[in-house]
Amino acid sequence: MEEWRNIKKNKESFLSLIEDHKELIIFDTETNGLKKDAKIIQFSAVKYRIDRFSLQEVDMLDLYINPEEPLPAKIVELTGITDEMLASAKTEDRAADEIFSFMRSADLWAGYNISFDLSKLAAMAERTGRYYQEDDTIDVLQMARDCIPRNKVTDHKLGTITKYLFPDDHFQFHSAIEDVRATAKC
């Protein structure tokens, strides 16, 4: 195995987090854009019990959310999510309590490029007037950058890393629930 880029800092931090927590939520969002005010259109999270270095699924939440505005064509193309699919979905005001309640059910969160997803949760909380507080987090993207040298992969996108680590597995990327399961596997 290649050495970690930030051997002491990241390795020790990760191991400490895993030892200090019994449960972990891995989550992902699909949004109607990349700007700061972009809304979540799919929220997926799986809660796992941590058993040393394996994860046992305990619970999950997978929601489509109606942004109450038409989706850009690029988002439809990228995610496969359409306005028709979201027409009868909960609005973020109705989905927020369920999402934040689920997130509070574990005090360790993980994701791939987690800062993006955290910013979307914070923006939702602000728009809906809900209380939101981040817990301890693990960014699997940072772990991938630490463990897999740039000369081994073309980039560190989730799809690239998953295919590099698990070439026989197939995931549909840009589906929040599939991205959660790929992140958990990584």
Side-chain angles (χ1 to χ4, degrees):
M1 181 172 170
E2 298 287 332
E3 290 292 326
W4 290 43
R5 286 180 315 158
N6 302 302
I7 295 170
K8 293 279 186 218
K9 178 183 163 216
N10 289 346
K11 184 177 178 183
E12 296 304 318
S13 175
F14 170 74
L15 293 174
S16 175
L17 283 170
I18 293 297
E19 290 172 1
D20 292 346
H21 295 85
K22 302 282 187 242
E23 294 181 321
L24 162 74
I25 289 176
I26 300 177
F27 74 103
D28 186 62
T29 62
E30 297 300 330
T31 63
N32 66 349
L34 298 176
K35 294 182 180 175
K36 185 177 189 226
D37 63 345
K39 294 179 179 177
I40 298 171
I41 58 173
Q42 184 185 14
F43 175 86
S44 299
V46 177
K47 183 175 170 181
Y48 296 94
R49 183 176 41 261
I50 300 169
D51 187 16
R52 293 229 359 113
F53 289 103
S54 69
L55 301 174
Q56 307 300 319
E57 187 171 325
V58 176
D59 200 1
M60 73 170 290
L61 179 63
D62 186 25
L63 297 174
Y64 286 103
I65 302 169
N66 185 337
E68 301 181 288
E69 59 191 65
L71 294 176
K74 182 69 176 170
I75 297 301
V76 174
E77 179 185 332
L78 186 66
T79 66
I81 299 170
T82 65
D83 291 324
E84 292 77 26
M85 291 171 65
L86 301 178
S88 62
K90 293 178 180 180
T91 62
E92 68 177 11
D93 193 57
R94 289 187 41 231
D97 290 333
E98 189 173 1
I99 290 169
F100 293 128
S101 175
F102 189 85
M103 294 303 288
R104 284 190 301 271
S105 72
D107 57 359
L108 178 60
W109 303 347
Y112 205 89
N113 191 20
I114 197 169
S115 61
F116 176 83
D117 301 298
L118 291 170
S119 73
K120 297 310 159 210
L121 286 178
M124 179 193 295
E126 187 174 315
R127 278 192 301 272
T128 62
R130 300 315 198 279
Y131 174 76
Y132 166 76
Q133 179 179 337
E134 285 180 27
D135 272 313
D136 290 334
T137 61
I138 296 172
D139 191 340
V140 179
L141 169 60
Q142 293 304 317
M143 292 173 66
R145 287 180 176 158
D146 286 342
C147 296
I148 302 169
R150 181 74 172 158
N151 64 354
K152 301 276 187 189
V153 293
T154 56
D155 57 53
H156 283 89
K157 293 179 181 176
L158 178 60
T160 305
I161 297 305
T162 305
K163 287 175 188 165
Y164 174 79
L165 294 173
F166 308 101
D168 296 330
D169 291 358
H170 300 285
F171 291 92
Q172 177 189 335
F173 297 100
H174 295 293
S175 158
I177 193 63
E178 287 286 306
D179 288 355
V180 165
R181 298 215 187 277
T183 300
K185 190 151 184 147
C186 289

